Amino acid sequence: MATRKETPSTPTAPMASTSPGATLDSPVKQIQIEGLVVLKMIKHYQEEGQGSEVVQGVLLGLVVEDRLEITNCFPFPQHTEDDADFDEVQYQMEMMRSLRHVNIDHLHVGWYQSTYYGSFVSRALLDSQFSYQHAIEESVVLIYDPIKTAQGSLSLKAYRLTPKLMEICKEKDFSAEGLKKALIGFEHMFEEVPIVIENSHLINVLMWELEEKCTVADKHELLNLSSSNHLEKSLQLLMDRVDDMSQDIVKYNTYSRNLSKQQQQKHQYIQRRQQENAQRQTRGETPLPEEDVSKMFKPPQPPPRMDTLLIAGQINNYCQNVKEFTSQNLGKLFMAEALQGHNS
Amino acid sequence: MSRWSNSEPLRSSMSVYGPVVKIHPVVLASIGDSYERRNEGASRVIGTLLGTIDKHSVEVTNCFSVPHNESEDEVAVDMEFAKNMYELHKRVSPSEVIVGWYATGFEITEHSVLIHEYYSREATNPIHLTMDTALQSGKMNIRAYLSAQMGVLGKTVGVMFTPLSVKYKYYDTERIGIDLLERTRDAPNTTNGLTSDLCQVGGAAGRVQDMLATVLTYIEDVLSGKQTADNSVGRYLMDLVNKVPKITAEDFETMLNSNINDLLMVTYLSNLTQAQIALNEKIVVL
């Protein structure tokens, strides 16, 4: 509680407390979220996000040693008009200024986004997270999956870009050589940070009271047996991505084939040139001038590797989700079998 | 101006006029949070309630706190701030309107009347919500009031706050969020990891098992005569037992097997895909 009473002097003060030395993998080992933030995110999606793509918002909080504490959040309006950019910055500034008046932590520590069946690995996310992490080292992006939550248990994950990926984004070097140098694989793009949910004692009291007063029956969505709908949609998305991936692979293959063909042509040309020059010398004529070979054979453009990486990361995510889902369902099916066994 | 503070016995037997107030848990958590962050010396916090108004009910879905200064004889509310915040909130959810205001504390004071007047300019029939965050009576006492004129016209006029019935409304996902939060409060220092897949199913099954155990103890008590049988409970029990569908053993086997096969196939495919992309990556990097 003591940390909350201090109000930092300037809102743009850089965060202290990243521990010195490069021994830690990342400056943030754990994320502590308040119940209020969770409720606000749920509410935001529920009210504004039905059907549309994603809802986004900003996370506020502070950094304590190696933990990132998220104490409040506010939602962002949807992108309705084209000139919403200027409005966004202004909206954000106003909101943070107002929140400062009521003693809410106004330090930006990250942002949150809702996702549809787990598809969030995209260029836009990467860029946003990079700009956040560049400005504030400890920032995270919270991905809230409302559909999975509606199925029974809160699905909230926190991601950061790995330092390797940060380097690459900084250099803006997305070519194959760049990625090879950094030895980045799709598994090393994002790192997940464990989340802990904490409530103050007053909120705990509130929870007790609510439980007492509220007679809404416990929802047992988690034990629901019907699965095909969810599975179908997930597999559909997975198939789309895999199609993208295969297209990408075809592109890369054509590129390497073109490259090697061109190399061959270059060699042949140089050899012919040398032969001709040798013949001319024997005949006593002046050798032909050396032409700039590279200008004649322009090397083909290598395809960008970043998209492949993103697609691979997304496919990986889908597969993880599907596996989680199937393991849960298998458990449920066996339970149903036990129940039937008793009956018959 | 006189005020009428609410006393206990009157409340339980009073009939309630006015709309039902439905509150979302996010509002209460927000109020608690702003109480914890109040300025030094302030004994209570006030703020605006946002929501939607229906024919017979008012649904409160959001709120924000408003800075104010309160002393013995005067009260000052930062109205500019309130207007500003409302504009900002409107950008995100254009359907929310100001439905009232809240204050923490146990009683309705004279200052509340003044503040209530201000809010009646902003919204028709504003609702006043109080929440006892200092737990003076051992409970939180979340109550809502509507103001009404009382007294003799022309002579002494006063304002009376009539209580309204408060209900709590949850979206499905909010319910699940609250369940999670309730689980964290049981372990004093936090925790909770959002547990992994199978553990969650296990947890849910455990809870159902607990409930079944309670029902079983009740049945045994009835059978051994310790408790009198209640017919309605008996009917519920029959419903419960009949809910397990009667399927012949072979049919169930085939259903179970085909479902399991589906799931296993999907697992196999996803593993295969993951292996494929890993391989692809290695080859490209070569």
Side-chain angles (χ1 to χ4, degrees), chain A residues 209-217, chain B residues 168-170 175:
Chain A
E209 281 229 9
L210 278 181
E211 192 181 352
E212 204 180 81
K213 294 209 176 147
C214 195
T215 47
V216 172
Chain B
Y168 300 101
K169 182 147 186 253
Y170 296 73
R175 173 84 224 166

Side-chain angles (χ1 to χ4, degrees), chain A residues 1 4-5 34-36 39-40 42-44 46-48 71-72 75 77 91 94-95 98-99 101-105 149 152-154 156 180 184-186 195-200 202-204 206-214 216 218-220 222-223 231 235 242 245 249 305 312 315-316 319-320 322-324 326-330 333-337 340 343, chain B residues 25-26 28-30 32-33 35-40 61-62 65 67 81 84-85 88-89 91-94 96 131 133 135 139-142 168 170-182 184-186 190-194 197-198 200-201 204-205 208 211 244-245 247 252-253 256 259-260 263-264 266-267 270-271 273-274 277-278 280-281 284-286:
Chain A
M1 290 284 203
R4 264 193 227 117
K5 286 287 185 185
E34 290 222 347
L36 177 64
L39 288 175
K40 271 190 160 176
I42 295 179
K43 168 204 176 300
H44 184 209
Q46 190 75 32
E47 294 194 345
E48 308 299 328
T71 52
N72 216 323
Y91 172 82
E94 287 253 3
M95 202 53 153
S98 312
L99 291 176
H101 277 286
V102 285
N103 292 339
I104 294 184
D105 299 319
T149 306
S153 65
L154 184 65
L156 198 63
K180 219 187 291 192
I184 252 202
F186 63 84
I195 298 183
V196 156
I197 297 194
E198 165 144 34
N199 280 321
S200 69
L202 190 62
I203 306 285
N204 280 342
L206 180 69
M207 292 292 141
W208 282 110
E209 281 229 9
L210 278 181
E211 192 181 352
E212 204 180 81
K213 294 209 176 147
C214 195
V216 172
D218 223 0
K219 288 233 161 197
H220 289 290
L222 197 52
L223 293 176
L231 213 53
L235 284 179
V242 170
M245 185 79 168
I249 292 181
R305 304 304 304 160
I315 292 183
N316 191 31
C319 292
Q320 286 293 105
V322 166
K323 281 200 289 194
E324 248 189 52
T326 49
S327 64
Q328 279 184 327
N329 265 41
L330 277 174
L333 278 176
F334 282 121
M335 277 202 298
E337 185 191 12
Q340 271 291 335
N343 234 16
Chain B
V26 73
L28 301 171
S30 218
D33 184 65
Y35 177 74
E36 285 172 356
R37 291 169 183 279
R38 66 192 184 287
N39 284 317
E40 298 289 343
T61 49
N62 205 352
S65 68
F81 180 91
N84 239 358
M85 277 295 248
L88 290 175
H89 272 114
R91 293 245 208 108
V92 179
S93 17
E96 284 184 349
M131 186 159 124
T133 41
L135 298 171
K139 280 192 155 211
M140 259 191 169
N141 269 333
I142 300 169
Y168 300 101
Y170 296 73
Y171 297 127
D172 287 347
T173 37
E174 269 184 343
R175 173 84 224 166
I176 294 174
I178 294 276
D179 281 345
L180 187 67
L181 297 181
E182 279 172 2
T184 55
R185 67 143 193 252
D186 291 333
T190 84
T191 129
N192 170 43
L194 307 175
D197 31 333
L198 215 49
Q200 290 167 346
V201 178
V208 175
M211 288 196 270
V244 180
I247 316 177
F252 188 74
E253 277 287 318
L256 188 72
N259 266 329
I260 291 185
L263 293 175
L264 286 177
V266 171
T267 318
S270 45
N271 277 333
T273 322
Q274 275 184 317
I277 45 178
N280 178 50
E281 192 145 312
V284 165
V285 166
L286 270 184

